[in-house]
Amino acid sequence: LPEESQPAPLQIVLVSPRNPLNIGAAARAMANFGFTHLTVVAPYAPHWQEARSAVGASDLLQNAKVTESLAGAVADCTLVVGTGTLTHRKPEQPVVALPDLPSRLSPEIERGGRVALVFGPEKHGLTREDLSCCHLLVEIPTHPRQPSMNLGQAVAVCLYQLAARLTAPARDNTQPHPSSSRPAALTAPSADLDLLSGVIEKVMLAARYSPTSMQGANRHDLRLFLRRLALTRRDARRVLGFFRRVLHRLERRPE
Amino acid sequence: LPEESQPAPLQIVLVSPRNPLNIGAAARAMANFGFTHLTVVAPYAPHWQEARSAVGASDLLQNAKVTESLAGAVADCTLVVGTGTLTHRKPEQPVVALPDLPSRLSPEIERGGRVALVFGPEKHGLTREDLSCCHLLVEIPTHPRQPSMNLGQAVAVCLYQLAARLTAPARDNTQPHPSSSRPAALTAPSADLDLLSGVIEKVMLAARYSPTSMQGANRHDLRLFLRRLALTRRDARRVLGFFRRVLHRLERRPE
């Protein structure tokens, strides 16, 4: 593969994962967010085989690198980031909150560095020895009552955050992008709304909803109301058709 | 519980989840990010029992609300956000990218609204009918080659993004505050819109606007249309009163 010849800017490392479902979930999250380079350190052999031979197991799992040690896995990396719950240990490295990780990694990747993001085993996380391979720790801001995340979910959350910002550093994620959804349909011009108001007002009268004393107030409210709704031209046309039909039926009624 | 007396600002809704592991994973992600209100719609009974009775199943699962329909689950919600892959369908609602969702939800929650985040079944996601309960769709920016996320991971990613930004609205000073001019009136909850839909549909039939062949399509369009209008409670009440009056007059008409 041509991709293989290029060094991966970010590689995901799973240290001794136990649950084949978690391995599969980690691989799926990688595919979801466009990451391709997985390394598995000292996997428990039967579970690793199970994960790789699962129905629908990805190329990504087939192509995963397997190493004996974390040191071997991250040998060519210029920045190694450990993950895990920090509640019960005093971190020895700088700790970065996950939302701030992209801005910490981007300069490293831009200057050609290689970054590894390392996840420990499900039960106890990265050991003290594993952590000694890490330049930096990342903390997912979780609730103090349930700080520990499932492995597959932790991978998904980290890669979501990294994909959103690493691949498009120029994009400012704090801005709402109302235009990104789809081109907004054209709003109905005032004339369409006035036409619609007129017909609805006739329906109000025909249905005896609007007594004479309230007619002016209701007309006013109706006009403001229709403007607030931001109807499209198509909306206005459909609603008009509906009210014309209603008016027609009401007026056919003999008094 | 004192928490129960307060309305939940954000509730998570799982529609017909199949896999007990996914239900457990969704609940765990909720606990990780400090969300407590789970509703499960029409669960497959044996799997729901299995999820609830799993070792370590949380209070959150024990206290989950179960409803027959999505409409019932979101009846008291003022803003309903659907999730899912949009690759194969043309969305009928506005679509917001997940990084932009917090700034879209914060004003609603600040003014006392209640928001539901809805996840569909694993296999096919939310149906067209489910989507007609939604005001808004959220899209997780995934890779085109593998856009579809695992349910538990999708919940984790969404709640990570929401927890990071919703709980600290003050941190987010760069946001425009469309609500800053005057306190916006509270949006009508879904149940009010459903009531209104029902009466308007009767008017459509009584006025012979809606032929039988079009009834389903018109109902669907009407539900989406009402959600797009962002009616206030007061709007919804007035419009309801008007259509009830119209219906009354139409039905009095001798054939």
Side-chain angles (χ1 to χ4, degrees):
Chain A
L1 291 173
E3 287 175 31
E4 291 303 311
S5 61
Q6 289 195 334
L10 188 97
Q11 78 173 268
I12 306 306
V13 181
L14 305 181
V15 179
S16 303
R18 292 291 293 196
N19 186 334
L21 293 175
N22 284 338
I23 300 173
R28 178 159 176 182
M30 289 179 65
N32 284 144
F33 295 112
F35 297 92
T36 48
H37 287 72
L38 173 65
T39 304
V40 182
V41 177
Y44 180 59
H47 290 180
W48 174 235
Q49 282 315 316
E50 189 181 336
R52 292 186 74 188
S53 56
V55 177
S58 55
D59 287 352
L60 198 153
L61 275 177
Q62 306 303 330
N63 297 333
K65 204 165 80 178
V66 178
T67 64
E68 291 288 315
S69 68
L70 178 55
V74 300
D76 67 348
C77 293
T78 55
L79 182 62
V80 179
V81 183
T83 64
T85 311
L86 302 171
T87 322
H88 300 298
R89 45 184 139 195
K90 193 176 162 299
E92 298 172 285
Q93 291 95 333
V95 179
V96 176
L98 179 57
D100 303 326
L101 189 61
S103 56
R104 179 70 184 73
L105 301 191
S106 289
E108 184 69 21
I109 289 174
E110 275 161 27
R111 66 171 167 252
R114 272 172 258 171
V115 177
L117 188 60
V118 184
F119 295 85
E122 291 91 338
K123 278 237 169 116
H124 53 73
L126 296 171
T127 62
R128 201 152 175 274
E129 197 195 330
D130 294 334
L131 287 172
S132 73
C133 292
C134 300
H135 299 80
L136 203 67
L137 303 181
V138 61
E139 192 175 27
I140 303 174
T142 48
H143 198 274
R145 277 199 204 159
Q146 174 67 281
S148 164
M149 288 193 74
N150 162 274
L151 176 58
Q153 289 175 309
V155 172
V157 163
C158 288
L159 297 188
Y160 161 73
Q161 180 67 84
L162 290 176
R165 299 269 303 282
L166 279 186
T167 52
R171 183 171 155 208
D172 184 0
N173 280 321
T174 64
Q175 292 305 317
H177 284 272
S179 57
S180 68
S181 42
R182 56 169 179 167
L186 214 54
T187 314
S190 298
D192 292 12
L193 298 183
D194 290 341
L195 186 63
L196 182 54
S197 283
V199 173
I200 295 179
E201 204 186 336
K202 281 184 190 155
V203 172
M204 285 179 165
L205 293 171
R208 303 188 186 219
Y209 171 79
S210 211
T212 316
S213 63
M214 287 295 292
Q215 216 175 309
N218 279 342
R219 178 186 299 139
H220 179 80
D221 286 356
L222 176 60
R223 290 173 59 88
L224 288 179
F225 175 66
L226 289 179
R227 276 152 184 80
R228 182 153 50 81
L229 300 182
L231 299 175
T232 64
R233 293 199 82 147
R234 183 162 175 274
D235 290 337
R237 230 171 11 239
R238 287 187 86 172
V239 175
L240 182 67
F242 170 48
F243 278 107
R244 278 192 168 140
R245 180 76 199 170
V246 168
L247 185 62
H248 173 73
R249 300 299 296 190
L250 285 171
E251 288 180 340
R252 265 184 49 190
R253 189 179 59 79
E255 281 300 320
Chain B
L1 291 172
E3 288 175 30
E4 291 304 310
S5 61
Q6 288 195 335
L10 188 97
Q11 77 173 270
I12 306 306
V13 181
L14 305 181
V15 179
S16 303
R18 292 291 293 195
N19 186 334
L21 292 176
N22 283 338
I23 300 173
R28 178 159 176 183
M30 289 179 66
N32 284 145
F33 294 112
F35 296 92
T36 48
H37 288 72
L38 174 65
T39 303
V40 181
V41 177
Y44 180 58
H47 290 180
W48 174 234
Q49 282 316 315
E50 189 181 334
R52 293 187 73 188
S53 56
V55 177
S58 56
D59 287 354
L60 199 153
L61 275 178
Q62 306 303 328
N63 297 332
K65 206 165 81 177
V66 177
T67 65
E68 291 287 315
S69 68
L70 177 55
V74 301
D76 67 348
C77 292
T78 56
L79 183 62
V80 180
V81 183
T83 64
T85 311
L86 303 171
T87 322
H88 300 300
R89 44 183 141 196
K90 194 176 162 301
E92 298 175 286
Q93 290 95 334
V95 179
V96 176
L98 179 57
D100 303 326
L101 189 61
S103 58
R104 179 69 184 74
L105 301 192
S106 291
E108 185 69 21
I109 289 174
E110 274 161 27
R111 64 172 172 250
R114 273 171 256 172
V115 177
L117 188 60
V118 184
F119 296 85
E122 290 91 338
K123 279 241 169 114
H124 53 73
L126 295 170
T127 63
R128 195 152 179 271
E129 199 195 329
D130 293 334
L131 287 173
S132 76
C133 291
C134 299
H135 298 80
L136 202 67
L137 304 181
V138 62
E139 192 175 27
I140 303 175
T142 48
H143 198 274
R145 276 199 205 158
Q146 174 65 283
S148 164
M149 289 194 73
N150 161 273
L151 177 58
Q153 290 176 308
V155 172
V157 163
C158 288
L159 297 188
Y160 161 73
Q161 180 66 83
L162 290 176
R165 299 269 302 282
L166 276 187
T167 52
R171 202 199 289 165
D172 199 356
N173 288 322
T174 62
Q175 294 305 316
H177 283 274
S179 58
S180 65
S181 46
R182 54 166 186 165
L186 210 56
T187 316
S190 297
D192 292 12
L193 298 182
D194 290 341
L195 187 64
L196 182 55
S197 283
V199 172
I200 295 180
E201 205 187 336
K202 282 186 190 151
V203 171
M204 286 180 165
L205 294 172
R208 307 191 179 213
Y209 171 79
S210 212
T212 316
S213 64
M214 287 295 292
Q215 216 175 311
N218 280 340
R219 178 186 298 139
H220 179 81
D221 288 356
L222 176 61
R223 290 173 60 89
L224 288 176
F225 176 65
L226 289 178
R227 274 150 184 84
R228 183 152 50 80
L229 300 183
L231 299 175
T232 64
R233 293 200 82 145
R234 185 162 174 274
D235 290 338
R237 231 173 9 243
R238 289 188 85 174
V239 175
L240 182 67
F242 169 49
F243 278 106
R244 278 192 169 140
R245 181 76 199 169
V246 168
L247 185 62
H248 174 73
R249 299 300 297 191
L250 284 170
E251 287 179 341
R252 266 185 49 188
R253 189 178 59 78
E255 281 299 321

PDB file of all heavy atoms in Angstrom, chain A residues 131-158:
ATOM      1  N   LEU A 131       3.935   4.074  31.576  1.00  0.00           N
ATOM      2  CA  LEU A 131       3.853   5.535  31.619  1.00  0.00           C
ATOM      3  C   LEU A 131       5.216   6.190  31.427  1.00  0.00           C
ATOM      4  O   LEU A 131       5.307   7.326  30.959  1.00  0.00           O
ATOM      5  CB  LEU A 131       3.231   6.000  32.947  1.00  0.00           C
ATOM      6  CG  LEU A 131       1.719   5.757  33.062  1.00  0.00           C
ATOM      7  CD1 LEU A 131       1.233   6.059  34.471  1.00  0.00           C
ATOM      8  CD2 LEU A 131       0.962   6.599  32.041  1.00  0.00           C
ATOM      9  N   SER A 132       6.226   5.429  31.734  1.00  0.00           N
ATOM     10  CA  SER A 132       7.567   6.010  31.585  1.00  0.00           C
ATOM     11  C   SER A 132       7.960   6.157  30.108  1.00  0.00           C
ATOM     12  O   SER A 132       8.972   6.772  29.800  1.00  0.00           O
ATOM     13  CB  SER A 132       8.597   5.170  32.346  1.00  0.00           C
ATOM     14  OG  SER A 132       8.824   3.952  31.662  1.00  0.00           O
ATOM     15  N   CYS A 133       7.181   5.576  29.216  1.00  0.00           N
ATOM     16  CA  CYS A 133       7.407   5.787  27.776  1.00  0.00           C
ATOM     17  C   CYS A 133       6.692   7.040  27.270  1.00  0.00           C
ATOM     18  O   CYS A 133       6.816   7.384  26.082  1.00  0.00           O
ATOM     19  CB  CYS A 133       6.877   4.607  26.961  1.00  0.00           C
ATOM     20  SG  CYS A 133       7.786   3.085  27.185  1.00  0.00           S
ATOM     21  N   CYS A 134       5.902   7.679  28.124  1.00  0.00           N
ATOM     22  CA  CYS A 134       5.025   8.760  27.660  1.00  0.00           C
ATOM     23  C   CYS A 134       5.617  10.135  27.956  1.00  0.00           C
ATOM     24  O   CYS A 134       6.139  10.381  29.040  1.00  0.00           O
ATOM     25  CB  CYS A 134       3.654   8.650  28.323  1.00  0.00           C
ATOM     26  SG  CYS A 134       2.822   7.086  27.972  1.00  0.00           S
ATOM     27  N   HIS A 135       5.492  11.020  26.984  1.00  0.00           N
ATOM     28  CA  HIS A 135       5.936  12.404  27.174  1.00  0.00           C
ATOM     29  C   HIS A 135       4.883  13.215  27.898  1.00  0.00           C
ATOM     30  O   HIS A 135       5.169  14.238  28.511  1.00  0.00           O
ATOM     31  CB  HIS A 135       6.170  13.080  25.823  1.00  0.00           C
ATOM     32  CG  HIS A 135       7.209  12.437  24.985  1.00  0.00           C
ATOM     33  ND1 HIS A 135       6.971  11.318  24.230  1.00  0.00           N
ATOM     34  CD2 HIS A 135       8.516  12.747  24.784  1.00  0.00           C
ATOM     35  CE1 HIS A 135       8.080  10.972  23.587  1.00  0.00           C
ATOM     36  NE2 HIS A 135       9.033  11.819  23.905  1.00  0.00           N
ATOM     37  N   LEU A 136       3.675  12.756  27.769  1.00  0.00           N
ATOM     38  CA  LEU A 136       2.529  13.593  28.087  1.00  0.00           C
ATOM     39  C   LEU A 136       1.387  12.666  28.448  1.00  0.00           C
ATOM     40  O   LEU A 136       1.302  11.563  27.932  1.00  0.00           O
ATOM     41  CB  LEU A 136       2.172  14.320  26.774  1.00  0.00           C
ATOM     42  CG  LEU A 136       1.417  15.608  26.771  1.00  0.00           C
ATOM     43  CD1 LEU A 136       2.274  16.692  27.398  1.00  0.00           C
ATOM     44  CD2 LEU A 136       1.104  15.983  25.307  1.00  0.00           C
ATOM     45  N   LEU A 137       0.510  13.110  29.325  1.00  0.00           N
ATOM     46  CA  LEU A 137      -0.707  12.342  29.582  1.00  0.00           C
ATOM     47  C   LEU A 137      -1.902  13.165  29.142  1.00  0.00           C
ATOM     48  O   LEU A 137      -1.899  14.395  29.265  1.00  0.00           O
ATOM     49  CB  LEU A 137      -0.833  12.012  31.072  1.00  0.00           C
ATOM     50  CG  LEU A 137       0.351  11.255  31.678  1.00  0.00           C
ATOM     51  CD1 LEU A 137       0.086  10.972  33.162  1.00  0.00           C
ATOM     52  CD2 LEU A 137       0.601   9.949  30.924  1.00  0.00           C
ATOM     53  N   VAL A 138      -2.892  12.461  28.645  1.00  0.00           N
ATOM     54  CA  VAL A 138      -4.116  13.172  28.291  1.00  0.00           C
ATOM     55  C   VAL A 138      -5.222  12.705  29.225  1.00  0.00           C
ATOM     56  O   VAL A 138      -5.298  11.525  29.581  1.00  0.00           O
ATOM     57  CB  VAL A 138      -4.513  12.955  26.812  1.00  0.00           C
ATOM     58  CG1 VAL A 138      -4.789  11.492  26.501  1.00  0.00           C
ATOM     59  CG2 VAL A 138      -5.738  13.802  26.460  1.00  0.00           C
ATOM     60  N   GLU A 139      -6.041  13.640  29.645  1.00  0.00           N
ATOM     61  CA  GLU A 139      -7.140  13.295  30.534  1.00  0.00           C
ATOM     62  C   GLU A 139      -8.458  13.632  29.838  1.00  0.00           C
ATOM     63  O   GLU A 139      -8.655  14.758  29.386  1.00  0.00           O
ATOM     64  CB  GLU A 139      -7.019  14.094  31.846  1.00  0.00           C
ATOM     65  CG  GLU A 139      -7.956  13.567  32.904  1.00  0.00           C
ATOM     66  CD  GLU A 139      -7.776  14.270  34.246  1.00  0.00           C
ATOM     67  OE1 GLU A 139      -7.336  15.447  34.269  1.00  0.00           O
ATOM     68  OE2 GLU A 139      -8.074  13.648  35.278  1.00  0.00           O
ATOM     69  N   ILE A 140      -9.336  12.624  29.799  1.00  0.00           N
ATOM     70  CA  ILE A 140     -10.686  12.881  29.291  1.00  0.00           C
ATOM     71  C   ILE A 140     -11.483  13.433  30.474  1.00  0.00           C
ATOM     72  O   ILE A 140     -11.523  12.790  31.519  1.00  0.00           O
ATOM     73  CB  ILE A 140     -11.338  11.580  28.760  1.00  0.00           C
ATOM     74  CG1 ILE A 140     -10.453  10.951  27.674  1.00  0.00           C
ATOM     75  CG2 ILE A 140     -12.730  11.860  28.231  1.00  0.00           C
ATOM     76  CD1 ILE A 140     -10.946   9.587  27.199  1.00  0.00           C
ATOM     77  N   PRO A 141     -12.072  14.600  30.323  1.00  0.00           N
ATOM     78  CA  PRO A 141     -12.775  15.180  31.479  1.00  0.00           C
ATOM     79  C   PRO A 141     -14.059  14.403  31.780  1.00  0.00           C
ATOM     80  O   PRO A 141     -15.087  14.629  31.164  1.00  0.00           O
ATOM     81  CB  PRO A 141     -13.099  16.612  31.040  1.00  0.00           C
ATOM     82  CG  PRO A 141     -12.411  16.827  29.727  1.00  0.00           C
ATOM     83  CD  PRO A 141     -12.143  15.473  29.147  1.00  0.00           C
ATOM     84  N   THR A 142     -13.967  13.469  32.709  1.00  0.00           N
ATOM     85  CA  THR A 142     -15.136  12.662  33.076  1.00  0.00           C
ATOM     86  C   THR A 142     -15.638  13.057  34.457  1.00  0.00           C
ATOM     87  O   THR A 142     -14.977  13.792  35.193  1.00  0.00           O
ATOM     88  CB  THR A 142     -14.794  11.159  33.077  1.00  0.00           C
ATOM     89  OG1 THR A 142     -13.579  10.976  33.792  1.00  0.00           O
ATOM     90  CG2 THR A 142     -14.667  10.624  31.669  1.00  0.00           C
ATOM     91  N   HIS A 143     -16.806  12.508  34.786  1.00  0.00           N
ATOM     92  CA  HIS A 143     -17.444  12.820  36.060  1.00  0.00           C
ATOM     93  C   HIS A 143     -16.725  12.092  37.195  1.00  0.00           C
ATOM     94  O   HIS A 143     -16.403  10.918  37.069  1.00  0.00           O
ATOM     95  CB  HIS A 143     -18.914  12.371  35.992  1.00  0.00           C
ATOM     96  CG  HIS A 143     -19.776  12.994  37.030  1.00  0.00           C
ATOM     97  ND1 HIS A 143     -19.907  12.462  38.286  1.00  0.00           N
ATOM     98  CD2 HIS A 143     -20.539  14.107  37.003  1.00  0.00           C
ATOM     99  CE1 HIS A 143     -20.737  13.227  38.986  1.00  0.00           C
ATOM    100  NE2 HIS A 143     -21.132  14.241  38.232  1.00  0.00           N
ATOM    101  N   PRO A 144     -16.485  12.782  38.318  1.00  0.00           N
ATOM    102  CA  PRO A 144     -15.743  12.150  39.419  1.00  0.00           C
ATOM    103  C   PRO A 144     -16.376  10.846  39.933  1.00  0.00           C
ATOM    104  O   PRO A 144     -15.668   9.965  40.410  1.00  0.00           O
ATOM    105  CB  PRO A 144     -15.741  13.220  40.525  1.00  0.00           C
ATOM    106  CG  PRO A 144     -16.472  14.396  40.007  1.00  0.00           C
ATOM    107  CD  PRO A 144     -16.764  14.191  38.552  1.00  0.00           C
ATOM    108  N   ARG A 145     -17.686  10.709  39.797  1.00  0.00           N
ATOM    109  CA  ARG A 145     -18.322   9.482  40.303  1.00  0.00           C
ATOM    110  C   ARG A 145     -18.075   8.267  39.434  1.00  0.00           C
ATOM    111  O   ARG A 145     -18.188   7.139  39.881  1.00  0.00           O
ATOM    112  CB  ARG A 145     -19.839   9.681  40.389  1.00  0.00           C
ATOM    113  CG  ARG A 145     -20.252  10.381  41.647  1.00  0.00           C
ATOM    114  CD  ARG A 145     -21.729  10.125  41.905  1.00  0.00           C
ATOM    115  NE  ARG A 145     -22.278  11.193  42.723  1.00  0.00           N
ATOM    116  CZ  ARG A 145     -23.564  11.480  42.795  1.00  0.00           C
ATOM    117  NH1 ARG A 145     -24.436  10.789  42.090  1.00  0.00           N
ATOM    118  NH2 ARG A 145     -23.985  12.453  43.569  1.00  0.00           N
ATOM    119  N   GLN A 146     -17.825   8.491  38.148  1.00  0.00           N
ATOM    120  CA  GLN A 146     -17.579   7.362  37.234  1.00  0.00           C
ATOM    121  C   GLN A 146     -16.507   7.810  36.246  1.00  0.00           C
ATOM    122  O   GLN A 146     -16.773   8.063  35.069  1.00  0.00           O
ATOM    123  CB  GLN A 146     -18.880   6.991  36.516  1.00  0.00           C
ATOM    124  CG  GLN A 146     -18.764   5.943  35.433  1.00  0.00           C
ATOM    125  CD  GLN A 146     -18.411   4.555  35.908  1.00  0.00           C
ATOM    126  OE1 GLN A 146     -17.246   4.261  36.196  1.00  0.00           O
ATOM    127  NE2 GLN A 146     -19.407   3.700  36.013  1.00  0.00           N
ATOM    128  N   PRO A 147     -15.273   7.966  36.733  1.00  0.00           N
ATOM    129  CA  PRO A 147     -14.237   8.528  35.863  1.00  0.00           C
ATOM    130  C   PRO A 147     -13.727   7.545  34.804  1.00  0.00           C
ATOM    131  O   PRO A 147     -13.260   7.969  33.755  1.00  0.00           O
ATOM    132  CB  PRO A 147     -13.117   8.894  36.845  1.00  0.00           C
ATOM    133  CG  PRO A 147     -13.325   8.010  38.026  1.00  0.00           C
ATOM    134  CD  PRO A 147     -14.792   7.726  38.107  1.00  0.00           C
ATOM    135  N   SER A 148     -13.842   6.250  35.069  1.00  0.00           N
ATOM    136  CA  SER A 148     -13.185   5.272  34.211  1.00  0.00           C
ATOM    137  C   SER A 148     -14.027   4.900  33.000  1.00  0.00           C
ATOM    138  O   SER A 148     -15.147   4.415  33.125  1.00  0.00           O
ATOM    139  CB  SER A 148     -12.871   4.032  35.048  1.00  0.00           C
ATOM    140  OG  SER A 148     -12.573   2.957  34.204  1.00  0.00           O
ATOM    141  N   MET A 149     -13.464   5.098  31.814  1.00  0.00           N
ATOM    142  CA  MET A 149     -14.206   4.809  30.588  1.00  0.00           C
ATOM    143  C   MET A 149     -13.906   3.418  30.055  1.00  0.00           C
ATOM    144  O   MET A 149     -12.818   2.883  30.241  1.00  0.00           O
ATOM    145  CB  MET A 149     -13.853   5.829  29.500  1.00  0.00           C
ATOM    146  CG  MET A 149     -14.421   7.214  29.747  1.00  0.00           C
ATOM    147  SD  MET A 149     -14.288   8.234  28.240  1.00  0.00           S
ATOM    148  CE  MET A 149     -15.593   7.500  27.213  1.00  0.00           C
ATOM    149  N   ASN A 150     -14.864   2.896  29.341  1.00  0.00           N
ATOM    150  CA  ASN A 150     -14.672   1.678  28.551  1.00  0.00           C
ATOM    151  C   ASN A 150     -13.622   1.946  27.474  1.00  0.00           C
ATOM    152  O   ASN A 150     -13.572   3.044  26.911  1.00  0.00           O
ATOM    153  CB  ASN A 150     -16.029   1.296  27.937  1.00  0.00           C
ATOM    154  CG  ASN A 150     -15.896   0.342  26.767  1.00  0.00           C
ATOM    155  OD1 ASN A 150     -15.706   0.772  25.632  1.00  0.00           O
ATOM    156  ND2 ASN A 150     -15.981  -0.941  27.035  1.00  0.00           N
ATOM    157  N   LEU A 151     -12.785   0.941  27.186  1.00  0.00           N
ATOM    158  CA  LEU A 151     -11.675   1.136  26.252  1.00  0.00           C
ATOM    159  C   LEU A 151     -12.133   1.615  24.869  1.00  0.00           C
ATOM    160  O   LEU A 151     -11.615   2.608  24.335  1.00  0.00           O
ATOM    161  CB  LEU A 151     -10.874  -0.171  26.126  1.00  0.00           C
ATOM    162  CG  LEU A 151      -9.721  -0.167  25.120  1.00  0.00           C
ATOM    163  CD1 LEU A 151      -8.711   0.932  25.430  1.00  0.00           C
ATOM    164  CD2 LEU A 151      -9.028  -1.532  25.097  1.00  0.00           C
ATOM    165  N   GLY A 152     -13.106   0.911  24.295  1.00  0.00           N
ATOM    166  CA  GLY A 152     -13.565   1.277  22.945  1.00  0.00           C
ATOM    167  C   GLY A 152     -14.153   2.681  22.913  1.00  0.00           C
ATOM    168  O   GLY A 152     -13.987   3.430  21.935  1.00  0.00           O
ATOM    169  N   GLN A 153     -14.838   3.043  23.983  1.00  0.00           N
ATOM    170  CA  GLN A 153     -15.437   4.383  24.043  1.00  0.00           C
ATOM    171  C   GLN A 153     -14.374   5.456  24.242  1.00  0.00           C
ATOM    172  O   GLN A 153     -14.461   6.544  23.667  1.00  0.00           O
ATOM    173  CB  GLN A 153     -16.491   4.435  25.148  1.00  0.00           C
ATOM    174  CG  GLN A 153     -17.737   3.621  24.778  1.00  0.00           C
ATOM    175  CD  GLN A 153     -18.753   3.560  25.896  1.00  0.00           C
ATOM    176  OE1 GLN A 153     -18.422   3.220  27.023  1.00  0.00           O
ATOM    177  NE2 GLN A 153     -20.001   3.873  25.586  1.00  0.00           N
ATOM    178  N   ALA A 154     -13.349   5.147  25.053  1.00  0.00           N
ATOM    179  CA  ALA A 154     -12.266   6.117  25.262  1.00  0.00           C
ATOM    180  C   ALA A 154     -11.530   6.383  23.945  1.00  0.00           C
ATOM    181  O   ALA A 154     -11.225   7.535  23.606  1.00  0.00           O
ATOM    182  CB  ALA A 154     -11.297   5.602  26.323  1.00  0.00           C
ATOM    183  N   VAL A 155     -11.283   5.316  23.185  1.00  0.00           N
ATOM    184  CA  VAL A 155     -10.622   5.490  21.887  1.00  0.00           C
ATOM    185  C   VAL A 155     -11.497   6.365  20.983  1.00  0.00           C
ATOM    186  O   VAL A 155     -11.004   7.305  20.346  1.00  0.00           O
ATOM    187  CB  VAL A 155     -10.347   4.113  21.218  1.00  0.00           C
ATOM    188  CG1 VAL A 155      -9.840   4.300  19.793  1.00  0.00           C
ATOM    189  CG2 VAL A 155      -9.342   3.310  22.038  1.00  0.00           C
ATOM    190  N   ALA A 156     -12.805   6.079  20.968  1.00  0.00           N
ATOM    191  CA  ALA A 156     -13.709   6.850  20.097  1.00  0.00           C
ATOM    192  C   ALA A 156     -13.691   8.334  20.454  1.00  0.00           C
ATOM    193  O   ALA A 156     -13.604   9.205  19.592  1.00  0.00           O
ATOM    194  CB  ALA A 156     -15.132   6.295  20.183  1.00  0.00           C
ATOM    195  N   VAL A 157     -13.770   8.611  21.747  1.00  0.00           N
ATOM    196  CA  VAL A 157     -13.825  10.006  22.191  1.00  0.00           C
ATOM    197  C   VAL A 157     -12.517  10.738  21.845  1.00  0.00           C
ATOM    198  O   VAL A 157     -12.534  11.859  21.337  1.00  0.00           O
ATOM    199  CB  VAL A 157     -14.133  10.058  23.707  1.00  0.00           C
ATOM    200  CG1 VAL A 157     -13.801  11.412  24.293  1.00  0.00           C
ATOM    201  CG2 VAL A 157     -15.600   9.696  23.946  1.00  0.00           C
ATOM    202  N   CYS A 158     -11.387  10.084  22.090  1.00  0.00           N
ATOM    203  CA  CYS A 158     -10.097  10.724  21.782  1.00  0.00           C
ATOM    204  C   CYS A 158      -9.957  10.985  20.280  1.00  0.00           C
ATOM    205  O   CYS A 158      -9.529  12.065  19.868  1.00  0.00           O
ATOM    206  CB  CYS A 158      -8.933   9.844  22.240  1.00  0.00           C
ATOM    207  SG  CYS A 158      -8.740   9.795  24.033  1.00  0.00           S
TER     208      CYS A 158
END
